[in-house]
Amino acid sequence: MVLRIFGLSFAVTVVSIIIAALYGGPQAVLLVVILSILEISLSFDNAVINATVLRRMSEFWQKIFLTVGIVIAVFGMRLVFPLVIVWLASGLGPVLALDLALNPPADDAAYFPDGSPSYETLLTDAHPQIAAFGGMFLLMLFLGFILEEREITWLSWLEKPLARAGKLDQLAVIVAGGLLLLTASYIAPEDTVSTVMVAGVLGMITYIAVNGLGELFNTPEEDENGEVVEGSSGGPTELAKATGKAGFFLFLYLEVLDASFSFDGVIGAFAITSDPIIIALGLGFVGAMFVRSITVFLVRKGTLSDYVYLEHGAHWAIGALAVILLVSIGYHVNENVTGLVGVALIGAAFISSILRNRKAAAAGGSSDNDVDEPKPVTIS
């Protein structure tokens, strides 16, 4: 099963390395490997969250996400989106923007008579608004999870009080809006305050809109008597078979989520290389494909059902990433910190799940914190 799930990713890796070798020799190969590791480490929590949403979707929408969605992730977010940003920021046409990316001139005046910055600088300068949008979207996702009462809790001493506080209507919006205001007032550079505020609000609106539309068109689960199962309908983190319009909006939700995760990796990649072809090979073809395979593996193996704290750990990692993105608007945050925080939180949740399972097995039954989990979804 492992070979079947990861086989395509390994094949894409081999092809990408061959292309890198032909394109730039051994140095290009090394850079692709480094970028692939960077993307996988930064996006493991993304894979866990993808799996929690994907197991809600019908088989049709699962296949759409794993085919069309991965094309959008590879080409759209890792290659086309950065070029669009440079195109809009520089005023160059799309062809010149691509040429500037592939063949950066020794003298920027060749493209910018007024002495404007290069491709890499233009993309990096767009970081505040991108970080504000992605940070607020991810923060709303984290708050939506952590402020909701649930039978299974990981950090119970913290999660249970937060869930009780979450009974206050629109608390997530209040907290997110307050953090955005603090970010714009005390972290964002003075010349980016307005763009950070606008981008942050757009991030919140996008989450509320996509999440709300998913709830609107969601089909609740019914038991054998045709009665609606309590708690079976709701936002993207709850479990129900989503088809039709509900499936489409969950698909849209996953694409926005991937965008929020991926651009931070693209910005981090420029600390390693500014070559968009190398970045596309490392982050897109290899990294994104392995994130897809990890997502499929988690769903097929029922890992989230067996290790019930993984979902909690992933959401805490998302909360940490959201805060890091907001802080990075005004201060440089090393990409290693971003990756290690997520891996550490998910690793701690995984270990806690193992200890919980052993304790339950030793006791000969389920713990008080247990809840019935759905069976794994088969993805062909």
Side-chain angles (χ1 to χ4, degrees):
M1 177 178 284
V2 173
L3 182 59
R4 181 181 176 186
I5 294 174
F6 288 91
L8 180 59
S9 296
F10 285 121
V12 169
T13 300
V14 172
V15 173
S16 298
I17 288 177
I18 293 173
I19 294 174
L22 296 174
Y23 176 75
Q27 183 179 3
V29 172
L30 178 61
L31 290 174
V32 167
V33 172
I34 293 173
L35 289 173
S36 302
I37 295 172
L38 172 68
E39 175 71 3
I40 294 170
S41 64
L42 288 175
S43 298
F44 189 81
D45 45 358
N46 189 10
V48 176
I49 297 300
N50 284 349
T52 66
V53 180
L54 199 63
R55 61 181 182 165
R56 281 198 57 210
M57 301 167 74
S58 66
E59 184 177 350
F60 170 78
W61 282 107
Q62 289 174 0
K63 290 181 178 179
I64 290 294
F65 174 73
L66 295 172
T67 53
V68 177
I70 198 65
V71 172
I72 296 174
V74 171
F75 292 100
M77 292 311 304
R78 273 77 174 183
L79 180 60
V80 177
F81 186 53
L83 289 171
V84 170
I85 290 176
V86 172
W87 170 25
L88 296 176
S90 64
L92 295 173
V95 176
L96 285 178
L98 177 61
D99 185 47
L100 177 62
L102 295 175
N103 305 294
D107 182 6
D108 286 340
Y111 283 97
F112 303 102
D114 60 351
S116 298
S118 62
Y119 175 87
E120 179 181 352
T121 304
L122 285 168
L123 186 58
T124 304
D125 287 346
H127 178 72
Q129 50 265 49
I130 298 298
F133 179 92
M136 295 309 297
F137 183 90
L138 294 177
L139 183 63
M140 289 293 294
L141 171 60
F142 166 71
L143 292 173
F145 178 87
I146 212 66
L147 295 177
E148 180 181 331
E149 281 193 312
R150 55 191 71 249
E151 293 186 52
I152 294 181
T153 56
W154 177 36
L155 305 176
S156 300
W157 57 275
L158 182 57
E159 292 181 8
K160 288 184 176 180
L162 288 173
R164 286 194 293 269
K167 293 180 179 179
L168 177 63
D169 192 33
Q170 301 302 322
L171 180 60
V173 176
I174 295 171
V175 173
L179 285 177
L180 177 60
L181 184 60
L182 290 174
T183 300
S185 301
Y186 299 104
I187 296 178
E190 290 186 8
D191 59 340
T192 65
V193 170
S194 60
T195 56
V196 165
M197 284 295 297
V198 171
V201 170
L202 286 175
M204 294 172 63
I205 290 174
T206 301
Y207 175 83
I208 294 170
V210 177
N211 186 45
L213 289 170
E215 289 187 23
L216 177 63
F217 294 107
N218 185 49
T219 303
E221 282 187 298
E222 296 182 354
D223 60 19
E224 58 185 5
N225 297 320
E227 297 180 356
V228 174
V229 178
E230 183 179 356
S232 65
S233 62
T237 58
E238 297 181 18
L239 300 177
K241 279 279 186 176
T243 59
K245 293 179 180 179
F248 169 75
F249 285 113
L250 286 183
F251 170 78
L252 183 62
Y253 175 88
L254 283 173
E255 290 305 317
V256 178
L257 181 64
D258 179 73
S260 301
F261 275 97
S262 66
F263 196 80
D264 185 58
V266 173
I267 293 294
F270 275 96
I272 300 171
T273 178
S274 60
D275 191 318
I277 300 300
I278 299 298
I279 291 175
L281 289 172
L283 297 189
F285 286 93
V286 181
M289 285 300 298
F290 268 100
V291 171
R292 172 195 182 276
S293 295
I294 293 170
T295 300
V296 174
F297 179 83
L298 292 174
V299 177
R300 280 192 182 176
K301 296 290 289 184
T303 305
L304 299 179
S305 300
D306 296 334
Y307 304 96
V308 295
Y309 296 143
L310 273 180
E311 185 177 357
H312 296 257
H315 278 90
W316 279 105
I318 284 175
L321 176 58
V323 172
I324 289 172
L325 281 172
L326 295 178
V327 171
S328 70
I329 292 173
Y331 303 95
H332 173 71
V333 180
N334 190 285
E335 290 74 27
N336 292 329
V337 173
T338 305
L340 289 175
V341 167
V343 171
L345 286 167
I346 293 176
F350 179 72
I351 293 172
S352 297
S353 298
I354 293 176
L355 295 177
R356 170 187 180 275
N357 292 344
R358 288 179 178 176
K359 183 178 179 180
S366 300
S367 65
D368 294 337
N369 209 23
D370 280 350
V371 66
D372 290 336
E373 291 288 328
K375 295 180 180 180
V377 179
T378 300
I379 303 176
S380 57

